[in-house]
Amino acid sequence: MAADETPKSGQAKPPGTLRLKIDTDALAKNWQALRSMGGSAQAGAAVKANAYGLGVDRAVPALRDAGARDFFVAHWCEVYDVARHVPAEQISVLHGLLTPQDAAYSKAIVARPVINSLHQAKLWLDAGGGTCDLMVDTGINRLGLPLSQIGDPLIAKLDIDILLSHLASSDEDSPLNQLQLSRFGQVCEAIPARRRSLANSAGIALGKDYAFDLTRPGLALYGGVPRGELAQSIRQVAFPQAAIIQTREIGRGDSVGYNASFTASGPMRIGTVSLGYADGFLRSWGAKGALMHGGARLPLLGKVSMDMIVVDLANAPELAEGDWLDVPYALPEAAAASGLSQYELLTVLGSRFSA
Ligand SMILES: *Cc1c(COP(=O)(O)O)cnc(C)c1O
């Protein structure tokens, strides 16, 4: 069956065995907390990568209703989905322009490119120009106009709404933060723009000096805590859950899963859970990981498979097929347990979760 064909039976899709609960109230409160930490600055929202894996359709309306007016995506292909919820002129595309087609698409859909180089500035001006944003690289050496080129006549021709730069080490106490702040101050004096923006989530916690006119939180909106100062104000947003699809009794000497990496030392009851690395539950969770049921901790046994993991049911003997387990996803703790970054934990979540 081709991907765009639906079964003709008229039968609704069955409920499924993976859920991703999104606490949109926590999401809105996180945005408001970050917004007020920025003092008089407005707060936007980074919603790239499908709102960090949580789903544009759930995240963007909640952020919009909380008051966000500036949305950042990385790719042009992300604009359309966000623009179903907010006016396209409130969307900035961080990767900017690579081809004249990008410029034509930008004009047609009326989302703004973030111009990152003289090449991009020329593409935009050749396409007729119009309001854009401009990223200047103040030290991350990744994307953005080098400081040595800010005086170029092409830049003077741009009609700039947001002038931005991005911090490399805002989640650390690094001298690079202060250096980027002072360089950005110089950039702001040299380049006229309607609004100035430097801070991501962690940058907001560095203090009001970093907030300028507009902040660009991402991770912390979705429950990430990149700096300790944010721990008290940021609440968990994403709550993955997976169902048990089989239970069994095994005995001493029986092994579990691929390569028999766990062997039982005595009789035990185990549960096979519908969650695997294809869903973003990567093998790095390994032997230290556990799922939860109420207060009961259910340690992982053996290797993570593509679609399944196996847990020890000793601490919750009443559990049976169809019961739901919580995947521990408080991001700072989950990052420590899995070795993944808080960003990775969110963005690897797969497409088989339902609401
Ligand atoms: C992703 C991104 C952000 C958001 O960063 P967080 O660390 O997730 O808050 C802000 N600005 C730019 C340019 C980005 O690429």
Side-chain angles (χ1 to χ4, degrees), residues 217-274:
L219 182 72
L221 296 172
Y222 311 109
V225 181
R227 290 186 66 96
E229 295 92 330
L230 297 174
Q232 292 312 309
S233 356
I234 296 302
R235 291 163 47 183
Q236 185 175 344
V237 172
F239 297 85
Q241 296 178 322
I244 297 176
I245 54 177
Q246 192 171 13
T247 61
R248 72 176 68 241
E249 316 279 341
I250 60 172
R252 181 183 163 82
D254 288 338
S255 63
V256 173
Y258 283 123
N259 309 116
S261 68
F262 173 82
T263 302
S265 56
M268 60 194 298
R269 185 157 177 273
I270 64 176
T272 302
V273 182
S274 173

Side-chain angles (χ1 to χ4, degrees), residues 79-91:
V79 172
Y80 186 82
D81 287 343
V82 177
R84 285 201 307 242
H85 305 291
V86 299
E89 54 266 35
Q90 296 179 1
I91 304 171

Side-chain angles (χ1 to χ4, degrees), residues 7 10-16 351 354:
Q11 197 76 32
K13 245 196 266 173
S351 57
S354 58

